[in-house]
Amino acid sequence: MRTVVIDGPASIRVDTRPDPALTGPDGVIVAVRAAGICGSDLHFYEGDYPLAEPVPLGHEAIGTVVEAGPDVRSVKVGDEVLVSSVAGCGACPGCATNDPVMCHSGLQIFGGGALPGAQTDLLAVHAADFQVRRIPEGISSEQALLLTDNLATGWAAAQRADIPLGGTVAVIGLGAVGLCALRSAFAQGAATVFAVDRVPGRLQRAVDWGATPVASSTVESILAATGGRGADAVIDAVATDASLTDALFAVRPGGTVSVVGVHNLQPYPFPALACLIRSITVRWTTAPVQRTWPELIPLLQSGRLDVDGIFTATLPLDEAAKGYARAAERSGDDVKILLTP
């Protein structure tokens, strides 16, 4: 089978490897129909994370079950499924909450080294009754792929931001997760959402969805727009040192900063005293992907939550290197790229 691997910074290739075997009686093999390039994949591409050996990439996948172990009950061969990007053992009290982050054995993420990458022809998935879900009627392929990670992450970011009904929210970073968080903030009751990004095309997408654009001077602009008070909540979908600092000083006293961007491995000089004095709540979140599905799927099916337009390009798997190069440009034209094996 083919699988996308990275050898070093900006060094993407499509490797040929043996087809996977079932991980056990509770596992399935999925023939991947579509996989996404995620912003967090770019940390490998841009050299933020050290690589001791080639790493198979990708954690977002939908496809068809082509083999299932005898203990699998929720799906069968031939079913079209989505695969949670975040995995747990599926059998412990933590996983019983439908949040893989709570797994007593520790969460795992596809394409991070311990589990295989999802940008591939065939993906072996353990604990399939926990990790995999049949794609429901009325859910498009792009919606299903967003449910594996980006939409679940954006939704959880908004939930953990303590958004008051009719409140103000700032979303920093308008990649796929940021745009999902923006739509989720509106769906969860925000009246005003400030969209923060330096790319005009991405700002325009947010404006088209009802947001108020903020192109620069993030803190000053949000303070000015809120009478000097700050936003009720700030969602940071970037998590650079600069964006984290902006988030902490753009939120009002007593407000909440919800961080879902993936920081690099360098220390961050957290302004603890300023946050203490202003009673700021800060939450860092890896998405409880499976737990979000019962909420998100009906909203998508009913049209109450719209995520159309987040995927902006589709490329064959063999052109993965081109896809990563385009994603790394972070342009207004390319927000999220879909790979088709």
Side-chain angles (χ1 to χ4, degrees):
M1 69 172 188
R2 298 168 303 160
T3 190
V4 177
V5 301
I6 186 164
D7 296 308
S11 179
I12 298 286
R13 61 185 170 86
V14 179
D15 199 6
T16 300
R17 298 192 171 190
D19 290 353
L22 288 173
T23 58
D26 64 352
V28 296
I29 304 294
V30 176
V32 177
R33 177 159 54 87
I37 296 178
C38 181
S40 57
D41 293 328
L42 296 179
H43 281 283
F44 291 103
Y45 186 79
E46 295 171 339
D48 292 332
Y49 299 153
L51 298 173
E53 58 185 19
V55 172
L57 287 174
H59 49 265
E60 305 170 354
I62 63 172
T64 306
V65 176
V66 293
E67 187 176 357
D71 293 348
V72 177
R73 297 289 178 264
S74 61
V75 295
K76 62 183 184 303
V77 171
D79 283 346
E80 295 290 314
V81 298
L82 55 92
V83 182
S84 172
S85 58
V86 187
C89 72
C92 70
C95 289
T97 68
N98 280 331
D99 183 353
V101 179
M102 300 297 112
C103 180
H104 289 194
S105 299
L107 70 88
Q108 294 181 305
I109 298 175
F110 286 94
L115 294 180
Q119 294 164 9
T120 186
D121 288 315
L122 296 169
L123 181 64
V125 183
H126 68 285
D129 288 337
F130 182 64
Q131 254 76 254
V132 169
R133 175 165 181 151
R134 185 184 297 110
I135 297 176
E137 183 178 350
I139 297 296
S140 70
S141 293
E142 291 187 357
Q143 289 173 334
L145 198 50
L146 289 172
L147 284 167
T148 68
D149 179 14
N150 290 170
L151 181 54
T153 300
W155 184 257
Q159 284 184 321
R160 289 172 58 80
D162 300 328
I163 301 169
L165 289 175
T168 58
V169 180
V171 176
I172 301 177
L174 302 177
V177 170
L179 289 173
C180 286
L182 183 151
R183 296 312 302 264
S184 297
F186 277 126
Q188 293 177 33
T192 302
V193 178
F194 298 105
V196 183
D197 205 293
R198 291 176 293 182
V199 180
R202 296 190 175 196
L203 280 170
Q204 186 57 52
R205 291 177 190 278
V207 170
D208 292 343
W209 283 348
T212 301
V214 176
S216 60
S217 302
T218 302
V219 176
E220 291 81 0
S221 297
I222 292 172
L223 291 177
T226 56
R229 185 164 180 260
D232 295 310
V234 179
I235 298 170
D236 185 357
V238 182
T240 62
D241 286 6
S243 70
L244 288 167
T245 300
D246 281 350
L248 293 168
F249 288 97
V251 73
R252 66 165 172 80
T256 298
V257 172
S258 177
V259 183
V260 287
V262 179
H263 195 259
N264 59 31
L265 296 179
Q266 301 304 310
Y268 168 61
F270 188 84
L273 180 59
C275 292
L276 170 71
I277 291 171
R278 298 170 61 239
S279 295
I280 303 302
T281 297
V282 183
R283 293 196 174 104
W284 310 74
T285 301
T286 294
V289 178
Q290 292 88 324
R291 199 174 72 197
T292 69
W293 291 341
E295 299 168 340
L296 288 170
I297 288 170
L299 289 171
L300 292 170
Q301 289 171 320
S302 68
R304 295 287 300 276
L305 183 61
D306 176 15
V307 291
D308 291 346
I310 290 178
F311 282 99
T312 51
T314 299
L315 295 173
L317 189 73
D318 287 335
E319 295 185 18
K322 178 180 178 181
Y324 271 85
R326 287 174 59 172
E329 291 176 357
R330 295 177 174 85
S331 72
D333 295 328
D334 289 318
V335 175
K336 188 166 181 66
I337 293 173
L338 184 152
L339 299 175
T340 54

